Amino acid sequence: MKLKVYADRLSQPVRAVIIFCEVNGIDYEEIKVDLANREHLTPEFAEINPMQQLPAIVHGSFKLFESHAILIYIASSFPGVADHWYPADVYKRSKIHSVLDWHHSNLRRGPITIVQNSILAPVFRSPLNPEAVAEGEKILSAALSKTESFWLDDNRPFLLGQNQPSIADLILVCDIMQIKLVGETDWNRLLGPYKKVQQWIESTRNATNPHFDELHKVLKELKEKLQN
Amino acid sequence: MKLKVYADRLSQPVRAVIIFCEVNGIDYEEIKVDLANREHLTPEFAEINPMQQLPAIVHGSFKLFESHAILIYIASSFPGVADHWYPADVYKRSKIHSVLDWHHSNLRRGPITIVQNSILAPVFRSPLNPEAVAEGEKILSAALSKTESFWLDDNRPFLLGQNQPSIADLILVCDIMQIKLVGETDWNRLLGPYKKVQQWIESTRNATNPHFDELHKVLKELKEKLQN
């Protein structure tokens, strides 16, 4: 019973799910749903995910969407996923739920607002919106500031004082990585003030390479395509 | 080791957490943090929740915020909470995670946007904003439509085809109940098209009464206070 992952690598939570599968040796099949061609809006895909968003998984007769729920399902259902990804301990697990819930209304909203209203707007046939970009930068800075001062500590490389990454590190870092699309100058301007955040991104990348770099190639390719 | 719940019953996720504790006979202490007096913004409360939002809990030396994470923690840690609230079965549990994650960016955003920009604006010293209210109504209708057509079925009273409520029913219904603040006419206009949603709200109320009605008294009292 092979896990089917409905995916377009343009989507940051798709990248997180695929990196997670690769790092943990999950036997999965990647099924492309082309966002730019609006394949996620077809009636066929609505049978997989009625909310018509990526990622979604099918495992036997079981269907699931929402990236956090998917990562928790895979970590809980497949043998061989190390405990640090989604600890069995109720206190550690609860803290991971807390950071993932917080992420929804905070860090997640920054990068996606910035890229959708700037560099990705032409791909999805929507207008450029500098006011929305400015609002996205404000949300991002506030969330990075809380990440730097609260979710990360001085001594350990990952969120919540873990020495090894959890699904929360992977999800949050993949969301931040979208900023690479707008270019190194903006990346340095927006991330520069947050030294612990920068180290944490690098730690998450190192802990999940070569898959992390492989999945993020799409950002560089898309950026070059949009510039030409 | 008594559970401390930092609370203002004006907050809809606070109401959900307290109803859950009452229904499940949890031994807890409610500690008032007055939102209208900005007590959540004090340095003292930042020690409890650095994000300075309600609800938050302290259980011995363990601190936690984010209402979904809190409900999962209580359901997982206290003996005597029936399985239907947060099923141990990985498939049922994953579906609950999915609806809770979906809720963050969908149903949650409707009612809060409506009430914060209309009837609650004077309480929090912010301006009325009819455009934001209209946007909130659009988000609410889209989310109620998905709830009616996908999350609820024709035969069973609760989300995901459960015969008994889960933490997701309680959280989502408490969020919708905020609409009572803007009055019965608007409630009927906004909820009228969704018959299954209306039955589901009533089922969730019946399954958690008398605590559900007790916790929602604050809405009627606040409405009368604002009208006088």
Side-chain angles (χ1 to χ4, degrees), chain A residues 50-51 62-66 68-69 72-73 76-77 86 90-91 93-95 97-98 101-102 104-105 146 150-151, chain B residues 50-51 62-66 68-69 72-73 76-77 86 90-91 93-95 97-98 101-102 104-105 146 150-151:
Chain A
M51 306 306 171
F62 182 67
K63 297 174 187 174
L64 192 68
F65 56 87
E66 286 289 340
H68 301 183
I72 291 174
Y73 172 76
S76 307
S77 311
Y86 184 58
V90 70
Y91 300 106
R93 179 170 286 197
S94 294
K95 291 282 191 180
H97 293 157
S98 179
D101 285 325
W102 172 82
H104 275 291
S105 303
K146 287 288 187 193
F150 177 68
W151 295 119
Chain B
M51 306 306 171
F62 182 67
K63 297 173 186 175
L64 193 68
F65 55 87
E66 286 290 338
H68 301 183
I72 290 174
Y73 172 76
S76 307
S77 311
Y86 185 59
V90 70
Y91 300 106
R93 180 170 284 196
S94 294
K95 291 282 192 181
H97 293 157
S98 179
D101 285 325
W102 171 83
H104 275 290
S105 303
K146 288 288 187 193
F150 178 68
W151 294 120

Side-chain angles (χ1 to χ4, degrees), chain A residues 2-3 17-18 22 34-35 63 71-72 74 106 109 134 150 153-154 175 179 182 190:
Chain A
K2 203 176 209 172
L3 179 72
V17 168
I18 292 182
E22 289 286 346
D34 193 316
L35 291 173
K63 297 174 187 174
L71 288 173
I72 291 174
I74 299 174
N106 293 281
R109 288 175 53 229
F150 177 68
D153 72 24
D154 290 326
D175 268 330
I179 303 293
V182 291
L190 292 165

